[in-house]
């Protein structure tokens, strides 16, 4: 059966298309508890209307092994990438260019999934085969080993993927940026190296992306998330025919929050981090006044204009993040002028003045501030930054006091689902669950 699937270019490409579709619709990107919403609610970006039960455990940081998020979806993608890679390797009939492109995409997605697995759960099983017996008996690998595999996959993807964006057939060049290309692999590598503190490599790979100035440019805030935005490095197709993806619809408040369909809104504390005159605040944050109360909400992905060309796409990788990665790398390597210059690209585009940060400490503070206002409610950046900066316990303790709950450091990692531990007796649960 597998041989038949990988006997034609079209069938093989359809397998990869199915993986993208799953990422887009499984609950990783959207579906109410996607990564962006879940992490925003778990930390200090989103508030929950009192009385809503669906999001309560997330908001109060009281997850259990029976409702742990994302493990199953991420490993589903890993398994199907492994199947695809094995099928491509065994095929004798696929065009070489198609085989190389699809293998590069599969390695990219596998690395992308492991990035979130290792950041959400810590040490995790490192699965690079589709063999069920192996995968249901594999113990957890340490974080460093998992990151080594992520880097290996992305370096391979960077070499294998085309610089151009391709259609679903893995051959035809298109303008839409819905499948990762060579530079998407470089951008994700820059992020990985930043997380690992390899500042030289982070800058090197960020440079590769930023140098593609005919392909990528920072745009005005109102244009950043549009389908034809030159800031977009890799995004997902908007699966909702109304022009608004599910997470955006859940967050967009037209008549105030309600317990059932729209229980979420922005933590007002976020507003205080925007400087006066920041165009991102007026463009990316909406205000709703209902029954005498004022609520703020993110509207990055909400369609305002009824034009297909203006449809917003959920952005996974975009140029502004790459500038922030390079700024951080330069700050750590004592290139303070270079770090300021990268910060100023974003500040000037937002209508702000030049950064006054002159030394490493001031620059790192400015970069963290810029990441908070630039990347809010996008793919868990704020939650992962809090952990990366070593400030999660401090922030989450204060937040728990405000919510009337408690915070323990073990909650920095999510619990491994109980069912998977029963299935694989070599799996050990995270502490505290």
């Amino acid at each position: 059966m597998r041989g038949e699937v990988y006997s034609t270019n079209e069938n093989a490409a359809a397998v990869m298309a199915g993986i993208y579709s799953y990422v887009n619709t499984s609950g990783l990107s959207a579906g109410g508890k996607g990564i962006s919403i879940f992490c925003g609610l778990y930390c200090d970006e989103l508030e929950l209307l009192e009385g809503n039960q669906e999001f309560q455990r997330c908001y109060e940081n009281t997850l259990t092994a029976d409702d742990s998020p994302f493990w199953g979806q991420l490993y589903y993608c890993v398994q199907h990438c492994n199947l695809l890679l094995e099928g491509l390797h065994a095929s004798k009939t696929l065009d070489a260019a198609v085989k190389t492109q699809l293998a590069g995409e599969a390695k990219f997605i596998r690395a992308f999934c492991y990035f979130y697995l290792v950041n959400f759960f810590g040490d995790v099983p490192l699965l690079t085969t589709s063999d069920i017996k192996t995968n249901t008996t594999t113990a957890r690998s340490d974080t460093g080993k998992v990151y080594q595999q992520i880097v290996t996959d992305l370096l391979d993807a960077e070499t294998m993927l085309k610089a151009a964006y391709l259609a679903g057939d893995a051959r035809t060049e298109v303008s839409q940026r819905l499948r990762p290309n060579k530079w998407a692999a470089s951008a994700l590598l820059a992020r990985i190296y930043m997380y690992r503190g390899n500042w030289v490599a982070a800058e090197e790979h960020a440079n590769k992306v930023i140098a593609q100035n005919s392909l990528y440019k920072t745009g005005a805030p109102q244009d950043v998330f549009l389908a034809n935005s030159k800031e977009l490095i890799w995004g997902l197709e908007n699966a909702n025919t109304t022009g608004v993806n599910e997470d955006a619809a859940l967050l967009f408040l037209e008549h105030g929050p309600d317990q059932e369909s729209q229980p979420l809104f922005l933590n007002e504390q976020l507003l205080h981090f925007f400087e006066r005159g920041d165009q991102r605040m007026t463009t990316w944050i909406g205000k709703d006044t209902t029954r005498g109360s004022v609520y703020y909400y993110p509207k990055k992905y909400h369609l305002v204009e009824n034009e297909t060309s203006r449809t917003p796409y959920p952005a996974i990788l975009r140029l502004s993040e790459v500038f922030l990665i390079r700024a951080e790398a330069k700050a750590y390597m004592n290139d303070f002028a270079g770090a300021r210059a990268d910060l100023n690209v974003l500040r000037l585009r937002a209508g702000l003045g030049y950064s006054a940060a002159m030394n490493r400490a001031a620059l790192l503070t400015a970069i963290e501030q810029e990441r908070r206002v630039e990347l809010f409610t996008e793919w868990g950046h704020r939650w992962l930054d809090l952990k990366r900066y070593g400030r999660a316990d401090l922030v989450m303790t204060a937040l728990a006091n405000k919510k009337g709950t408690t915070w323990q450091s073990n909650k920095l990692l999510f619990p491994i689902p109980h069912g998977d531990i029963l299935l694989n007796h070599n799996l050990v649960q995270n502490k505290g669950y």
Side-chain angles (χ1 to χ4, degrees):
M1 181 67 177
R2 184 182 295 187
E4 293 179 13
V5 171
Y6 296 99
S7 62
T8 68
N9 296 329
E10 292 74 19
N11 286 349
V15 175
M16 192 69 237
I19 295 173
Y20 290 124
S21 177
Y22 184 82
V23 172
N24 201 9
T25 61
S26 65
L28 293 174
S29 171
K33 288 188 179 179
I35 288 173
S36 297
I37 281 184
F38 193 96
C39 289
L41 196 58
Y42 196 81
C43 65
D44 59 352
E45 288 188 318
L46 293 172
E47 291 287 338
L48 180 68
L49 192 66
E50 186 175 352
N52 179 275
Q53 299 300 314
E54 181 182 4
F55 295 95
Q56 198 71 29
R57 286 190 182 279
C58 173
Y59 180 66
E60 294 182 345
N61 313 122
T62 55
L63 298 177
T64 71
D66 292 322
D67 60 3
S68 185
F70 309 124
W71 175 280
Q73 295 101 314
L74 290 166
Y75 270 116
Y76 179 93
C77 290
V78 168
Q79 173 70 351
H80 282 266
C81 286
N82 290 340
L83 283 165
L84 176 59
L85 287 165
E86 291 166 3
L88 293 172
H89 179 74
S91 177
K92 306 297 184 184
T93 58
L94 296 178
D95 289 350
V98 170
K99 182 185 287 193
T100 299
Q101 176 70 23
L102 292 176
E105 292 184 30
K107 290 192 172 194
F108 177 95
I109 295 297
R110 186 168 68 182
F112 174 77
C113 290
Y114 269 116
F115 168 77
Y116 280 102
L117 282 165
V118 80
N119 278 284
F120 287 162
F121 300 98
D123 298 347
V124 294
L126 182 56
L127 312 179
T128 57
T129 175
S130 68
D131 181 70
I132 296 298
K133 184 176 180 180
T134 300
N135 292 348
T136 53
T137 57
T138 300
R140 300 168 70 166
S141 293
D142 68 80
T143 297
K145 186 176 180 181
V146 178
Y147 267 116
Q148 286 176 6
Q149 183 63 50
I150 292 171
V151 169
T152 297
D153 276 348
L154 289 174
L155 288 172
D156 287 346
E158 192 180 41
T159 300
M160 300 168 84
L161 294 173
K162 298 283 189 183
Y165 288 95
L166 301 185
D169 61 7
R171 288 179 292 186
T172 307
E173 293 188 16
V174 293
S175 60
Q176 290 183 314
R177 303 172 178 200
L178 303 179
R179 300 169 82 97
N181 67 347
K182 177 186 188 71
W183 311 121
S186 299
L188 190 52
L189 268 169
R191 181 197 293 180
I192 299 303
Y193 284 128
M194 177 185 71
Y195 271 65
R196 302 302 287 165
N198 187 337
W199 307 115
V200 172
E203 182 186 22
E204 174 191 346
H205 288 278
N207 283 342
K208 292 180 182 181
V209 180
I210 293 169
Q212 310 307 311
N213 50 27
S214 62
L215 192 60
Y216 304 118
K217 288 181 174 23
T218 55
Q222 64 267 26
D223 297 327
V224 165
F225 298 98
L226 302 181
N228 58 356
S229 169
K230 283 206 165 186
E231 173 146 339
L232 185 65
I233 298 172
W234 175 46
L236 296 173
E237 187 169 12
N238 196 325
N240 193 325
T241 56
T242 64
V244 185
N245 88 316
E246 291 182 65
D247 279 0
L250 185 67
L251 290 168
F252 189 80
L253 302 179
E254 295 180 285
H255 307 292
D258 62 72
Q259 288 186 7
E260 299 300 325
S261 61
Q262 292 180 309
L264 312 176
F265 50 96
L266 277 178
N267 185 333
E268 280 194 48
Q269 186 181 26
L270 174 63
L271 275 61
H272 301 311
F273 284 84
F274 287 89
E275 297 174 49
R276 185 183 298 274
D278 193 327
Q279 295 174 12
R280 291 169 297 192
M281 181 174 177
T282 54
T283 305
W284 294 348
I285 294 180
K287 179 180 178 181
D288 174 82
T289 303
T290 300
R291 298 181 294 276
S293 297
V294 176
Y295 301 94
Y296 296 91
Y297 58 92
K299 59 175 185 177
K300 286 179 171 179
Y301 298 129
H302 195 271
L303 180 63
V304 177
E305 301 179 45
N306 189 21
E307 305 172 20
T308 302
S309 63
R310 304 289 289 178
T311 300
Y313 278 14
I316 302 178
L317 292 170
R318 56 190 184 90
L319 188 60
S320 290
E321 183 197 350
V322 180
F323 272 110
L324 288 167
I325 291 169
R326 193 171 74 171
E328 189 166 334
K330 288 180 175 180
Y332 274 106
M333 294 190 295
N334 299 321
D335 180 5
F336 301 149
R340 271 196 311 278
D342 284 341
L343 266 180
N344 288 334
V345 170
L346 273 63
R347 291 181 58 81
L348 294 175
R349 167 268 232 154
L352 301 174
Y354 291 97
S355 172
M358 300 302 291
N359 56 43
R360 179 186 292 176
L363 281 163
L364 292 177
T365 298
I367 290 165
E368 182 181 358
Q369 141 77 15
E370 203 66 31
R371 288 181 66 87
R372 188 166 190 189
V373 298
E374 178 70 31
L375 302 172
F376 70 92
T377 63
E378 289 184 51
W379 286 92
H381 283 293
R382 169 63 176 168
W383 170 235
L384 299 186
D385 278 349
L386 283 175
K387 297 208 299 177
R388 185 167 64 90
Y389 294 139
R391 297 201 306 102
D393 279 333
L394 180 65
V395 170
M396 297 302 289
T397 297
L399 194 63
N401 290 336
K402 179 183 175 184
K403 293 177 181 178
T405 60
T406 58
W407 172 260
Q408 292 89 32
S409 294
N410 70 283
K411 297 176 182 179
L412 292 170
L413 296 177
F414 299 155
I416 296 173
H418 181 63
D420 286 80
I421 291 178
L422 291 177
L423 184 65
N424 181 353
H425 295 295
N426 291 319
L427 270 184
V428 179
Q429 181 61 273
N430 280 325
K431 292 180 180 179
Y433 294 105

